Amino acid sequence: MGINFNDNLNRMWSDLMCLQTLRNNIAHNFGQLEQSNEYLQNFISKNDNIDIAKDTQEIKFNHRFLKDLVPMFENICLELQSSFQNKDIEL
């Protein structure tokens, strides 16, 4: 049993997992990206407010990136709540 992820929720969840990867690298690798994947590269390339330094693999973001996180989390929560209310649950 679990939530049935529609395309929008699936994309949002993927973004959330990318944020988790970035957070882990900031917290545990002194802000340097140790490992990347296709999803993370796509997330970074579509976001003008975050970048990875080519020479040091240092994660760089500006204040807009942080300001964008609140609406992103709000949208994920609203989408999850909608799935619960609509009983989009796989058995």
Side-chain angles (χ1 to χ4, degrees):
M1 184 191 295
I3 300 171
N4 187 10
F5 277 36
N6 60 33
D7 289 341
N8 193 37
L9 188 53
N10 201 31
R11 181 189 50 77
M12 290 176 169
W13 195 262
S14 177
D15 287 351
L16 186 62
M17 294 298 98
C18 289
L19 289 171
Q20 179 184 21
T21 299
L22 288 170
R23 178 256 172 229
N24 288 344
N25 279 277
I26 290 168
H28 302 293
N29 298 326
F30 304 101
Q32 292 183 314
L33 186 63
E34 190 170 88
Q35 291 183 329
S36 188
N37 59 50
E38 174 187 351
Y39 300 106
L40 184 58
Q41 290 302 321
N42 288 337
F43 179 81
I44 292 168
S45 68
K46 72 179 182 180
N47 192 321
D48 293 334
N49 299 313
I50 188 168
D51 193 24
I52 306 297
K54 302 283 186 244
D55 54 344
T56 63
Q57 293 297 299
E58 183 180 10
I59 300 166
K60 298 181 177 193
F61 53 87
N62 62 27
H63 70 285
R64 295 288 305 155
F65 176 75
L66 298 175
K67 286 179 77 172
D68 291 344
L69 289 179
V70 173
M72 177 189 274
F73 286 128
E74 183 179 13
N75 289 335
I76 290 170
C77 291
L78 290 172
E79 191 72 30
L80 282 169
Q81 184 179 25
S82 177
S83 280
F84 295 147
Q85 289 173 343
N86 294 330
K87 304 211 182 337
D88 291 338
I89 308 254
E90 287 182 352
L91 299 176

Coordinates of all heavy atoms in Angstrom, one line a residue:
M1 N 0.8 -1.2 0.0 CA 0.0 0.0 0.0 C 0.9 1.2 0.0 O 1.9 1.3 0.7 CB -0.9 0.0 1.2 CG -1.9 1.2 1.2 SD -2.8 1.5 2.7 CE -3.8 0.0 2.9
G2 N 0.5 2.2 -0.7 CA 1.3 3.5 -0.8 C 0.5 4.5 -1.6 O -0.5 4.3 -2.2
I3 N 1.1 5.7 -1.6 CA 0.5 6.8 -2.4 C 0.8 6.5 -3.9 O 1.9 6.1 -4.3 CB 1.2 8.1 -2.0 CG1 1.0 8.4 -0.5 CG2 0.6 9.3 -2.9 CD1 1.7 9.6 0.0
N4 N -0.2 6.8 -4.7 CA -0.1 6.7 -6.1 C 0.5 8.0 -6.6 O -0.2 9.0 -6.7 CB -1.4 6.3 -6.8 CG -1.3 6.1 -8.3 OD1 -0.2 5.9 -8.8 ND2 -2.4 6.0 -8.9
F5 N 1.8 8.0 -7.0 CA 2.4 9.3 -7.5 C 2.0 9.5 -8.9 O 2.3 8.8 -9.8 CB 3.9 9.1 -7.4 CG 4.5 9.4 -6.0 CD1 3.8 9.0 -4.9 CD2 5.7 10.0 -5.9 CE1 4.4 9.2 -3.6 CE2 6.3 10.2 -4.7 CZ 5.6 9.9 -3.5
N6 N 1.3 10.7 -9.1 CA 1.1 11.1 -10.5 C 2.3 11.8 -11.0 O 3.3 11.9 -10.3 CB -0.1 12.1 -10.5 CG 0.1 13.3 -9.7 OD1 1.2 13.8 -9.6 ND2 -1.0 13.8 -9.1
D7 N 2.3 12.2 -12.3 CA 3.5 12.7 -12.9 C 4.0 14.0 -12.1 O 5.3 14.1 -11.9 CB 3.3 13.1 -14.3 CG 3.1 11.9 -15.2 OD1 3.6 10.8 -14.8 OD2 2.6 12.0 -16.3
N8 N 3.1 14.8 -11.7 CA 3.5 16.0 -11.0 C 4.1 15.7 -9.6 O 5.2 16.2 -9.3 CB 2.3 17.0 -10.8 CG 2.7 18.4 -10.4 OD1 3.7 18.9 -10.8 ND2 1.9 18.9 -9.5
L9 N 3.5 14.8 -8.9 CA 4.1 14.5 -7.6 C 5.4 13.7 -7.7 O 6.3 13.9 -6.9 CB 3.0 13.6 -6.8 CG 3.4 13.3 -5.4 CD1 3.7 14.5 -4.6 CD2 2.2 12.5 -4.7
N10 N 5.5 12.9 -8.7 CA 6.7 12.2 -9.0 C 7.9 13.1 -9.3 O 9.0 13.0 -8.8 CB 6.5 11.2 -10.2 CG 7.6 10.1 -10.2 OD1 8.0 9.7 -9.1 ND2 7.9 9.7 -11.4
R11 N 7.6 14.2 -10.1 CA 8.6 15.2 -10.4 C 9.0 15.9 -9.1 O 10.2 16.2 -8.8 CB 8.1 16.2 -11.4 CG 9.1 17.2 -11.8 CD 8.5 18.3 -12.7 NE 7.3 18.9 -12.2 CZ 7.2 19.8 -11.2 NH1 8.3 20.2 -10.6 NH2 6.1 20.2 -10.8
M12 N 8.0 16.3 -8.3 CA 8.3 17.0 -7.1 C 9.1 16.2 -6.1 O 10.0 16.7 -5.4 CB 7.0 17.4 -6.4 CG 6.2 18.5 -7.1 SD 4.7 18.8 -6.2 CE 4.1 20.3 -7.0
W13 N 8.8 14.9 -6.0 CA 9.5 14.0 -5.1 C 10.9 13.8 -5.6 O 11.9 13.8 -4.8 CB 8.8 12.6 -5.1 CG 9.2 11.8 -3.9 CD1 10.2 10.8 -3.9 CD2 8.8 11.9 -2.6 NE1 10.4 10.3 -2.7 CE2 9.5 11.0 -1.8 CE3 7.9 12.8 -1.9 CZ2 9.4 10.8 -0.4 CZ3 7.8 12.6 -0.5 CH2 8.5 11.7 0.2
S14 N 11.1 13.8 -6.9 CA 12.5 13.7 -7.4 C 13.3 14.9 -7.0 O 14.5 14.8 -6.6 CB 12.4 13.5 -8.9 OG 13.7 13.5 -9.5
D15 N 12.7 16.1 -7.1 CA 13.3 17.4 -6.7 C 13.7 17.3 -5.2 O 14.8 17.8 -4.8 CB 12.5 18.6 -7.0 CG 12.4 18.9 -8.5 OD1 13.1 18.3 -9.3 OD2 11.5 19.8 -8.8
L16 N 12.8 16.8 -4.4 CA 13.0 16.7 -3.0 C 14.2 15.8 -2.7 O 15.0 16.1 -1.8 CB 11.8 16.2 -2.3 CG 11.8 16.1 -0.8 CD1 12.0 17.5 -0.2 CD2 10.5 15.5 -0.2
M17 N 14.3 14.7 -3.4 CA 15.5 13.8 -3.3 C 16.8 14.5 -3.7 O 17.8 14.2 -3.1 CB 15.3 12.5 -4.0 CG 14.1 11.6 -3.5 SD 14.3 11.0 -1.8 CE 13.3 12.2 -0.9
C18 N 16.7 15.3 -4.7 CA 17.9 16.1 -5.1 C 18.3 17.0 -4.0 O 19.5 17.2 -3.7 CB 17.6 16.8 -6.4 SG 17.5 15.8 -7.9
L19 N 17.3 17.7 -3.4 CA 17.7 18.6 -2.3 C 18.3 17.8 -1.1 O 19.2 18.3 -0.5 CB 16.4 19.3 -1.8 CG 15.8 20.4 -2.8 CD1 14.5 20.8 -2.3 CD2 16.8 21.5 -2.9
Q20 N 17.8 16.6 -0.9 CA 18.4 15.8 0.2 C 19.9 15.5 -0.2 O 20.7 15.6 0.7 CB 17.6 14.5 0.4 CG 18.2 13.6 1.4 CD 17.5 12.3 1.5 OE1 16.8 11.8 0.6 NE2 17.6 11.6 2.7
T21 N 20.1 15.2 -1.4 CA 21.5 14.9 -1.8 C 22.4 16.1 -1.6 O 23.5 16.0 -1.1 CB 21.5 14.4 -3.3 OG1 20.8 13.2 -3.4 CG2 23.0 14.1 -3.8
L22 N 21.9 17.3 -2.1 CA 22.7 18.5 -1.9 C 22.9 18.8 -0.4 O 24.0 19.1 0.0 CB 21.9 19.7 -2.5 CG 21.9 19.7 -4.0 CD1 20.9 20.8 -4.5 CD2 23.3 19.9 -4.6
R23 N 21.9 18.6 0.4 CA 22.0 18.8 1.9 C 23.1 17.9 2.4 O 23.9 18.3 3.2 CB 20.7 18.6 2.5 CG 20.7 18.8 4.0 CD 20.7 17.4 4.7 NE 20.9 17.5 6.1 CZ 21.8 16.7 6.8 NH1 22.5 15.8 6.2 NH2 21.9 16.9 8.0
N24 N 23.0 16.6 2.1 CA 24.0 15.7 2.6 C 25.4 16.0 2.2 O 26.4 15.9 3.0 CB 23.7 14.3 2.1 CG 22.4 13.7 2.8 OD1 22.0 14.3 3.8 ND2 21.9 12.7 2.3
N25 N 25.6 16.5 1.0 CA 27.0 16.9 0.5 C 27.4 18.1 1.2 O 28.6 18.3 1.5 CB 27.0 17.0 -1.0 CG 27.1 15.7 -1.7 OD1 28.2 15.2 -1.9 ND2 26.0 15.1 -2.1
I26 N 26.5 19.1 1.5 CA 26.9 20.3 2.2 C 27.3 19.9 3.6 O 28.3 20.4 4.2 CB 25.8 21.3 2.2 CG1 25.6 21.9 0.8 CG2 26.0 22.4 3.2 CD1 24.3 22.7 0.5
A27 N 26.5 19.1 4.3 CA 26.7 18.7 5.7 C 27.9 17.8 5.9 O 28.6 17.9 6.9 CB 25.4 18.1 6.3
H28 N 28.1 16.8 5.0 CA 29.1 15.8 5.3 C 30.3 15.8 4.4 O 31.3 15.2 4.7 CB 28.4 14.4 5.1 CG 27.2 14.2 6.0 ND1 27.3 14.1 7.4 CD2 25.9 14.1 5.7 CE1 26.1 14.0 7.9 NE2 25.2 14.0 6.9
N29 N 30.3 16.6 3.3 CA 31.4 16.7 2.4 C 32.0 18.2 2.3 O 32.5 18.5 1.3 CB 31.1 16.2 1.0 CG 30.7 14.7 1.1 OD1 31.2 14.0 1.9 ND2 29.8 14.3 0.2
F30 N 31.7 19.0 3.3 CA 32.2 20.3 3.4 C 31.8 21.1 2.2 O 32.5 21.9 1.6 CB 33.7 20.3 3.5 CG 34.2 19.6 4.7 CD1 34.7 18.3 4.6 CD2 34.2 20.1 6.0 CE1 35.2 17.6 5.7 CE2 34.6 19.4 7.1 CZ 35.1 18.1 6.9
G31 N 30.5 20.9 1.7 CA 30.0 21.7 0.6 C 30.4 21.3 -0.8 O 30.2 22.0 -1.8
Q32 N 31.1 20.2 -0.9 CA 31.6 19.7 -2.2 C 30.7 18.5 -2.6 O 30.4 17.6 -1.8 CB 33.1 19.3 -2.2 CG 34.0 20.5 -2.0 CD 35.4 20.1 -2.0 OE1 35.8 19.1 -1.4 NE2 36.2 20.9 -2.7
L33 N 30.4 18.5 -3.9 CA 29.6 17.4 -4.4 C 30.5 16.2 -4.7 O 31.4 16.2 -5.5 CB 28.9 17.9 -5.7 CG 27.9 16.9 -6.4 CD1 26.7 16.7 -5.4 CD2 27.4 17.4 -7.7
E34 N 30.2 15.2 -3.9 CA 31.0 14.0 -4.0 C 30.5 13.0 -5.1 O 31.3 12.5 -5.9 CB 31.1 13.2 -2.7 CG 32.1 12.1 -2.6 CD 32.2 11.6 -1.2 OE1 31.4 10.7 -0.8 OE2 33.1 12.1 -0.5
Q35 N 29.2 12.8 -5.1 CA 28.6 12.0 -6.2 C 27.4 12.7 -6.8 O 26.7 13.4 -6.1 CB 28.1 10.7 -5.6 CG 29.2 9.8 -5.1 CD 28.7 8.4 -4.6 OE1 27.6 8.4 -4.0 NE2 29.4 7.4 -4.7
S36 N 27.2 12.5 -8.1 CA 26.1 13.1 -8.8 C 25.4 12.0 -9.5 O 25.8 10.9 -9.6 CB 26.6 14.2 -9.7 OG 25.6 14.9 -10.3
N37 N 24.2 12.4 -10.0 CA 23.5 11.5 -10.9 C 22.7 12.3 -11.9 O 22.7 13.5 -11.8 CB 22.6 10.6 -10.0 CG 21.6 11.4 -9.2 OD1 20.9 12.2 -9.7 ND2 21.5 11.0 -7.9
E38 N 22.0 11.6 -12.8 CA 21.3 12.3 -13.9 C 20.2 13.2 -13.3 O 20.0 14.4 -13.8 CB 20.6 11.3 -14.7 CG 19.7 11.8 -15.8 CD 19.0 10.7 -16.6 OE1 19.3 9.5 -16.4 OE2 18.1 11.0 -17.3
Y39 N 19.5 12.8 -12.3 CA 18.4 13.6 -11.7 C 19.0 14.9 -11.0 O 18.4 16.0 -11.2 CB 17.6 12.8 -10.6 CG 17.0 11.6 -11.2 CD1 17.6 10.3 -10.9 CD2 15.9 11.6 -12.0 CE1 17.0 9.2 -11.4 CE2 15.3 10.5 -12.5 CZ 15.9 9.3 -12.2 OH 15.3 8.1 -12.8
L40 N 20.1 14.7 -10.3 CA 20.7 15.9 -9.7 C 21.2 16.9 -10.7 O 21.1 18.1 -10.6 CB 21.8 15.5 -8.7 CG 22.5 16.6 -7.9 CD1 21.4 17.3 -7.1 CD2 23.5 16.0 -7.0
Q41 N 21.9 16.4 -11.8 CA 22.4 17.2 -12.8 C 21.2 18.0 -13.5 O 21.4 19.2 -13.8 CB 23.2 16.4 -13.9 CG 24.5 15.9 -13.3 CD 25.4 17.0 -12.8 OE1 25.5 18.1 -13.4 NE2 26.1 16.7 -11.7
N42 N 20.1 17.3 -13.8 CA 19.0 18.0 -14.4 C 18.4 19.0 -13.4 O 18.0 20.1 -13.9 CB 17.9 17.0 -14.7 CG 18.2 16.1 -15.9 OD1 19.1 16.5 -16.7 ND2 17.6 15.0 -16.0
F43 N 18.3 18.7 -12.1 CA 17.8 19.7 -11.2 C 18.7 20.9 -11.1 O 18.2 22.0 -11.1 CB 17.8 19.0 -9.8 CG 17.3 19.9 -8.7 CD1 16.0 20.1 -8.5 CD2 18.2 20.5 -7.8 CE1 15.5 21.0 -7.5 CE2 17.8 21.4 -6.8 CZ 16.4 21.6 -6.6
I44 N 20.0 20.8 -11.1 CA 20.9 21.9 -11.1 C 20.9 22.7 -12.4 O 20.8 23.9 -12.3 CB 22.3 21.4 -10.8 CG1 22.4 20.9 -9.3 CG2 23.4 22.5 -11.0 CD1 23.7 20.1 -9.0
S45 N 20.8 22.0 -13.5 CA 20.8 22.7 -14.8 C 19.5 23.5 -15.0 O 19.6 24.6 -15.7 CB 21.0 21.8 -15.9 OG 19.9 20.9 -16.1
K46 N 18.4 23.1 -14.4 CA 17.2 23.9 -14.6 C 17.0 25.0 -13.6 O 16.0 25.7 -13.6 CB 15.9 23.0 -14.6 CG 15.6 22.4 -13.3 CD 14.3 21.5 -13.4 CE 14.0 20.9 -12.1 NZ 12.8 20.1 -12.1
N47 N 17.9 25.1 -12.6 CA 17.8 26.1 -11.5 C 19.0 27.1 -11.7 O 20.1 26.8 -11.5 CB 17.9 25.4 -10.2 CG 17.5 26.3 -9.1 OD1 17.8 27.4 -9.0 ND2 16.8 25.7 -8.1
D48 N 18.6 28.3 -12.0 CA 19.6 29.4 -12.2 C 20.3 29.8 -10.9 O 21.3 30.5 -10.9 CB 19.0 30.6 -12.8 CG 18.5 30.4 -14.2 OD1 19.1 29.5 -14.9 OD2 17.6 31.1 -14.7
N49 N 19.8 29.4 -9.8 CA 20.3 29.9 -8.5 C 21.2 28.9 -7.8 O 21.5 29.2 -6.6 CB 19.1 30.3 -7.6 CG 18.2 31.3 -8.2 OD1 18.7 32.3 -8.7 ND2 16.9 31.1 -8.2
I50 N 21.6 27.9 -8.5 CA 22.5 26.9 -7.9 C 23.5 26.5 -9.0 O 23.1 26.4 -10.1 CB 21.8 25.7 -7.2 CG1 22.8 24.8 -6.5 CG2 21.0 24.9 -8.3 CD1 22.1 23.8 -5.6
D51 N 24.7 26.2 -8.6 CA 25.7 25.8 -9.5 C 26.8 24.9 -8.8 O 26.9 25.0 -7.6 CB 26.4 27.0 -10.1 CG 27.2 26.7 -11.4 OD1 27.0 25.7 -12.0 OD2 28.2 27.5 -11.7
I52 N 27.5 24.2 -9.6 CA 28.6 23.4 -9.0 C 29.9 23.9 -9.7 O 30.0 23.9 -10.9 CB 28.5 21.9 -9.3 CG1 27.1 21.4 -8.9 CG2 29.6 21.1 -8.8 CD1 26.9 21.4 -7.4
A53 N 30.9 24.3 -8.9 CA 32.1 24.8 -9.4 C 32.8 23.6 -10.2 O 33.0 22.6 -9.6 CB 33.0 25.4 -8.3
K54 N 33.3 23.9 -11.4 CA 33.9 22.8 -12.2 C 35.2 22.3 -11.6 O 35.4 21.1 -11.6 CB 34.1 23.3 -13.6 CG 32.9 23.8 -14.3 CD 32.1 22.7 -14.8 CE 30.9 23.2 -15.7 NZ 29.6 23.0 -15.1
D55 N 36.0 23.2 -11.1 CA 37.3 22.8 -10.6 C 37.3 22.2 -9.2 O 38.1 21.2 -8.9 CB 38.3 24.0 -10.6 CG 37.7 25.2 -9.8 OD1 36.5 25.2 -9.5 OD2 38.5 26.1 -9.5
T56 N 36.4 22.6 -8.3 CA 36.4 22.1 -6.9 C 35.2 21.3 -6.6 O 35.1 20.7 -5.5 CB 36.5 23.3 -5.9 OG1 35.3 24.1 -6.1 CG2 37.7 24.1 -6.1
Q57 N 34.2 21.2 -7.5 CA 32.9 20.6 -7.2 C 32.2 21.2 -6.0 O 31.3 20.5 -5.4 CB 33.1 19.0 -7.0 CG 33.6 18.3 -8.2 CD 32.6 18.4 -9.4 OE1 31.4 17.9 -9.2 NE2 32.9 19.0 -10.5
E58 N 32.5 22.4 -5.7 CA 31.8 23.1 -4.6 C 30.4 23.5 -5.0 O 30.2 24.0 -6.1 CB 32.6 24.4 -4.2 CG 32.0 25.1 -3.0 CD 32.8 26.3 -2.6 OE1 33.7 26.7 -3.4 OE2 32.5 26.9 -1.6
I59 N 29.5 23.2 -4.1 CA 28.1 23.6 -4.3 C 27.9 25.1 -4.0 O 28.3 25.5 -2.9 CB 27.2 22.8 -3.4 CG1 27.3 21.3 -3.7 CG2 25.7 23.2 -3.6 CD1 26.7 20.4 -2.7
K60 N 27.4 25.8 -5.0 CA 27.2 27.3 -4.8 C 25.8 27.6 -5.1 O 25.2 27.2 -6.1 CB 28.1 28.1 -5.8 CG 29.6 27.8 -5.5 CD 30.4 28.6 -6.5 CE 31.9 28.4 -6.2 NZ 32.7 29.4 -6.9
F61 N 25.2 28.4 -4.1 CA 23.8 28.8 -4.4 C 23.7 30.3 -3.8 O 24.5 30.7 -3.0 CB 22.8 27.9 -3.8 CG 23.0 27.6 -2.3 CD1 22.4 28.4 -1.3 CD2 23.7 26.4 -2.0 CE1 22.6 28.1 0.0 CE2 23.8 26.1 -0.6 CZ 23.3 26.9 0.4
N62 N 22.7 31.0 -4.3 CA 22.5 32.3 -3.8 C 21.2 32.4 -3.0 O 20.5 31.4 -2.8 CB 22.4 33.3 -5.0 CG 21.3 33.0 -6.0 OD1 20.3 32.5 -5.6 ND2 21.5 33.4 -7.2
H63 N 20.9 33.6 -2.5 CA 19.7 33.8 -1.6 C 18.4 33.4 -2.3 O 17.5 33.0 -1.6 CB 19.7 35.2 -1.1 CG 19.3 36.2 -2.1 ND1 20.2 36.6 -3.1 CD2 18.2 36.9 -2.4 CE1 19.6 37.5 -3.9 NE2 18.4 37.7 -3.5
R64 N 18.3 33.6 -3.6 CA 17.1 33.2 -4.3 C 16.8 31.7 -4.2 O 15.6 31.3 -4.1 CB 17.1 33.6 -5.8 CG 17.2 35.1 -6.0 CD 16.0 35.9 -5.7 NE 14.8 35.4 -6.5 CZ 13.6 35.5 -6.0 NH1 13.3 36.2 -4.9 NH2 12.6 35.1 -6.7
F65 N 17.8 30.9 -4.2 CA 17.6 29.5 -4.1 C 17.0 29.1 -2.8 O 16.0 28.4 -2.7 CB 19.0 28.8 -4.2 CG 18.9 27.3 -4.0 CD1 18.4 26.4 -5.0 CD2 19.3 26.7 -2.8 CE1 18.3 25.1 -4.8 CE2 19.3 25.4 -2.6 CZ 18.7 24.5 -3.6
L66 N 17.4 29.8 -1.7 CA 16.8 29.5 -0.4 C 15.4 30.0 -0.3 O 14.5 29.4 0.3 CB 17.7 30.2 0.7 CG 19.1 29.6 0.8 CD1 19.9 30.4 1.8 CD2 19.1 28.1 1.1
K67 N 15.1 31.2 -0.9 CA 13.8 31.8 -0.9 C 12.8 30.9 -1.7 O 11.6 30.8 -1.4 CB 13.8 33.2 -1.5 CG 14.4 34.2 -0.5 CD 14.3 35.6 -1.2 CE 12.9 36.1 -1.1 NZ 12.8 37.5 -1.5
D68 N 13.3 30.2 -2.7 CA 12.5 29.3 -3.6 C 12.1 28.0 -2.8 O 11.2 27.3 -3.3 CB 13.2 29.0 -4.9 CG 13.2 30.2 -5.8 OD1 12.5 31.2 -5.5 OD2 14.0 30.2 -6.8
L69 N 12.9 27.7 -1.8 CA 12.6 26.4 -1.1 C 11.3 26.4 -0.4 O 10.6 25.3 -0.4 CB 13.7 26.1 -0.1 CG 15.1 25.7 -0.7 CD1 16.1 25.5 0.4 CD2 15.0 24.5 -1.6
V70 N 10.9 27.5 0.2 CA 9.6 27.5 0.9 C 8.4 27.2 0.0 O 7.6 26.3 0.3 CB 9.4 28.8 1.7 CG1 8.0 28.9 2.3 CG2 10.5 29.0 2.8
P71 N 8.2 27.9 -1.1 CA 7.1 27.5 -2.0 C 7.2 26.1 -2.5 O 6.2 25.4 -2.8 CB 7.1 28.5 -3.1 CG 8.2 29.6 -2.7 CD 8.9 29.1 -1.6
M72 N 8.5 25.6 -2.8 CA 8.7 24.3 -3.3 C 8.1 23.3 -2.3 O 7.4 22.3 -2.6 CB 10.1 24.0 -3.6 CG 10.4 22.6 -4.0 SD 12.2 22.2 -4.1 CE 12.5 22.8 -5.7
F73 N 8.5 23.4 -1.0 CA 8.0 22.5 0.1 C 6.5 22.6 0.2 O 5.8 21.6 0.4 CB 8.7 22.8 1.4 CG 10.1 22.3 1.4 CD1 11.2 23.1 1.8 CD2 10.5 21.0 1.1 CE1 12.5 22.7 1.8 CE2 11.8 20.5 1.1 CZ 12.8 21.4 1.5
E74 N 6.0 23.8 0.1 CA 4.5 24.0 0.3 C 3.8 23.3 -0.8 O 2.8 22.6 -0.6 CB 4.2 25.5 0.2 CG 2.7 25.8 0.4 CD 2.4 27.3 0.4 OE1 3.3 28.1 0.0 OE2 1.3 27.6 0.8
N75 N 4.3 23.4 -2.1 CA 3.7 22.7 -3.2 C 3.7 21.2 -3.0 O 2.8 20.5 -3.4 CB 4.3 23.1 -4.5 CG 4.0 24.5 -4.9 OD1 2.9 25.1 -4.5 ND2 4.8 25.1 -5.7
I76 N 4.8 20.7 -2.6 CA 4.9 19.2 -2.3 C 3.9 18.8 -1.3 O 3.2 17.8 -1.5 CB 6.4 18.8 -1.9 CG1 7.3 19.0 -3.0 CG2 6.4 17.4 -1.4 CD1 8.8 18.9 -2.7
C77 N 3.8 19.5 -0.2 CA 2.9 19.2 0.8 C 1.4 19.2 0.3 O 0.6 18.3 0.6 CB 3.0 20.1 2.1 SG 4.6 19.8 2.9
L78 N 1.1 20.2 -0.4 CA -0.3 20.4 -1.0 C -0.6 19.2 -1.9 O -1.7 18.7 -1.9 CB -0.4 21.7 -1.7 CG -0.5 22.9 -0.8 CD1 -0.4 24.2 -1.6 CD2 -1.7 22.9 0.1
E79 N 0.4 18.8 -2.7 CA 0.2 17.7 -3.7 C 0.0 16.4 -2.9 O -0.8 15.6 -3.3 CB 1.4 17.6 -4.7 CG 1.1 16.7 -5.8 CD 0.1 17.3 -6.9 OE1 0.0 18.5 -7.0 OE2 -0.5 16.4 -7.5
L80 N 0.8 16.2 -1.9 CA 0.6 15.0 -1.1 C -0.7 15.0 -0.4 O -1.4 13.9 -0.4 CB 1.7 14.9 0.0 CG 3.1 14.4 -0.5 CD1 4.1 14.7 0.6 CD2 3.1 13.0 -0.9
Q81 N -1.1 16.1 0.1 CA -2.4 16.2 0.8 C -3.5 15.9 -0.2 O -4.5 15.2 0.2 CB -2.6 17.6 1.4 CG -3.9 17.7 2.2 CD -4.0 19.1 2.8 OE1 -3.4 20.1 2.3 NE2 -4.7 19.2 3.9
S82 N -3.4 16.4 -1.4 CA -4.4 16.2 -2.4 C -4.5 14.7 -2.7 O -5.6 14.1 -2.9 CB -4.1 17.0 -3.6 OG -5.0 16.7 -4.7
S83 N -3.4 14.0 -2.8 CA -3.4 12.6 -3.1 C -4.1 11.8 -2.0 O -4.8 10.9 -2.2 CB -2.0 12.1 -3.3 OG -1.5 12.3 -4.5
F84 N -3.8 12.2 -0.7 CA -4.4 11.6 0.4 C -6.0 11.8 0.4 O -6.7 10.8 0.6 CB -3.9 12.1 1.7 CG -2.5 11.8 2.0 CD1 -1.7 12.7 2.7 CD2 -1.9 10.6 1.6 CE1 -0.3 12.5 3.0 CE2 -0.5 10.4 1.8 CZ 0.2 11.3 2.5
Q85 N -6.4 13.0 0.1 CA -7.8 13.3 0.1 C -8.5 12.6 -1.0 O -9.7 12.2 -0.9 CB -8.0 14.8 0.0 CG -7.6 15.5 1.3 CD -7.6 17.0 1.2 OE1 -7.7 17.6 0.1 NE2 -7.7 17.7 2.3
N86 N -7.9 12.5 -2.1 CA -8.5 11.8 -3.3 C -8.4 10.3 -3.2 O -8.8 9.6 -4.1 CB -7.9 12.4 -4.6 CG -8.2 13.8 -4.8 OD1 -9.3 14.3 -4.4 ND2 -7.3 14.5 -5.5
K87 N -7.7 9.9 -2.2 CA -7.5 8.4 -2.0 C -6.8 7.8 -3.2 O -7.1 6.7 -3.6 CB -8.8 7.7 -1.7 CG -9.5 8.3 -0.5 CD -10.3 7.4 0.3 CE -11.1 7.9 1.5 NZ -10.7 9.0 2.1
D88 N -5.8 8.5 -3.7 CA -5.0 8.0 -4.8 C -3.9 7.0 -4.2 O -2.7 7.3 -4.2 CB -4.3 9.1 -5.5 CG -5.2 9.9 -6.4 OD1 -6.3 9.4 -6.7 OD2 -4.8 11.1 -6.7
I89 N -4.4 5.9 -3.6 CA -3.6 5.0 -2.8 C -3.5 3.7 -3.6 O -4.6 3.2 -4.0 CB -4.1 4.8 -1.4 CG1 -4.3 6.1 -0.7 CG2 -3.2 3.8 -0.7 CD1 -3.3 6.6 0.3
E90 N -2.3 3.2 -3.8 CA -2.2 1.8 -4.4 C -2.4 0.8 -3.3 O -1.8 0.9 -2.2 CB -0.8 1.7 -5.0 CG -0.6 2.4 -6.3 CD 0.8 2.2 -6.9 OE1 1.6 1.5 -6.2 OE2 1.0 2.6 -8.0
L91 N -3.0 -0.3 -3.6 CA -3.2 -1.4 -2.7 C -2.3 -2.5 -3.1 O -2.0 -2.8 -4.2 CB -4.6 -1.8 -2.6 CG -5.6 -0.7 -2.1 CD1 -7.0 -1.3 -2.1 CD2 -5.3 -0.4 -0.7

